[in-house]
Amino acid sequence: MKKLKLITVCLVLIGIGSLSYYIFGQEHRYAKRYAHQLFDYPLPPKTKIMEQDFDHGVLYGGGPSGSGGYPTVAAYMKLSSELSEKEIFDYYHKKHFEIYFEGDETMEKDSKGRIWYEGKNAVKENLSIENNKGRPIKFIIQSKKEFSYPFFISF
């Protein structure tokens, strides 16, 4: 009888632990799924990844004020390419990613050390059509958005 009670208590604790892990890990899973929309987007030719990362949180990512305490996710990739600025813009703009060419961005950081980028997002006018063969240009592609998920508690 004691063995049955012990097994029952263990199973209940395992069930509660698993449910807690599932509920409290949802924000990260949603953010990761969103980030992979950027990370899984195919690279254009002659382009290499130098760095990629994502983070999420409430009061993070330079989101609009008055967000109601919803978390923001920001995913970015630092890339190097031999393509022209115009070719890069045409490739990534159709997916509405933010595009920052080297020198047009500012790295922002919150009190927890999470980073995202702000700056002069590339626009179609005044982009170089010069090929960068042999001297790749560096740029950042970023995607940010506020999100919600089941069991979300707004602050």
Side-chain angles (χ1 to χ4, degrees), residues 37-135:
Q37 291 176 10
L38 172 66
F39 300 158
D40 294 343
Y41 191 68
L43 292 176
K46 303 176 188 173
T47 302
K48 295 179 183 172
I49 299 172
M50 296 168 33
E51 180 183 332
Q52 71 180 27
D53 201 4
F54 77 99
D55 219 326
H56 57 89
V58 177
L59 302 176
Y60 160 75
S65 58
S67 66
Y70 289 104
T72 300
V73 59
Y76 70 89
M77 295 173 70
K78 289 184 178 182
L79 303 170
S80 171
S81 181
E82 293 185 0
L83 299 177
S84 72
E85 289 179 349
K86 183 175 181 339
E87 290 171 314
I88 292 166
F89 178 86
D90 290 344
Y91 188 83
Y92 284 107
H93 183 70
K94 64 185 170 195
K95 293 298 273 185
H96 304 288
F97 295 134
E98 297 172 19
I99 307 163
Y100 301 106
F101 290 105
E102 190 171 37
D104 292 339
E105 84 288 349
T106 304
M107 184 178 80
E108 301 289 337
K109 189 181 279 193
D110 72 1
S111 62
K112 294 181 180 177
R114 300 176 293 194
I115 66 169
W116 72 95
Y117 291 89
E118 298 285 344
K120 182 180 156 203
N121 196 5
V123 292
K124 197 166 189 99
E125 299 81 40
N126 301 325
L127 293 176
S128 170
I129 58 170
E130 183 181 332
N131 186 302
N132 292 291
K133 186 174 182 173
R135 47 179 172 62

Side-chain angles (χ1 to χ4, degrees), residues 26 28-38 40 54:
Q26 270 190 327
H28 183 77
R29 284 193 305 278
Y30 273 62
K32 187 175 182 179
R33 189 175 312 134
Y34 178 79
H36 276 277
Q37 291 176 10
L38 172 66
D40 294 343
F54 77 99

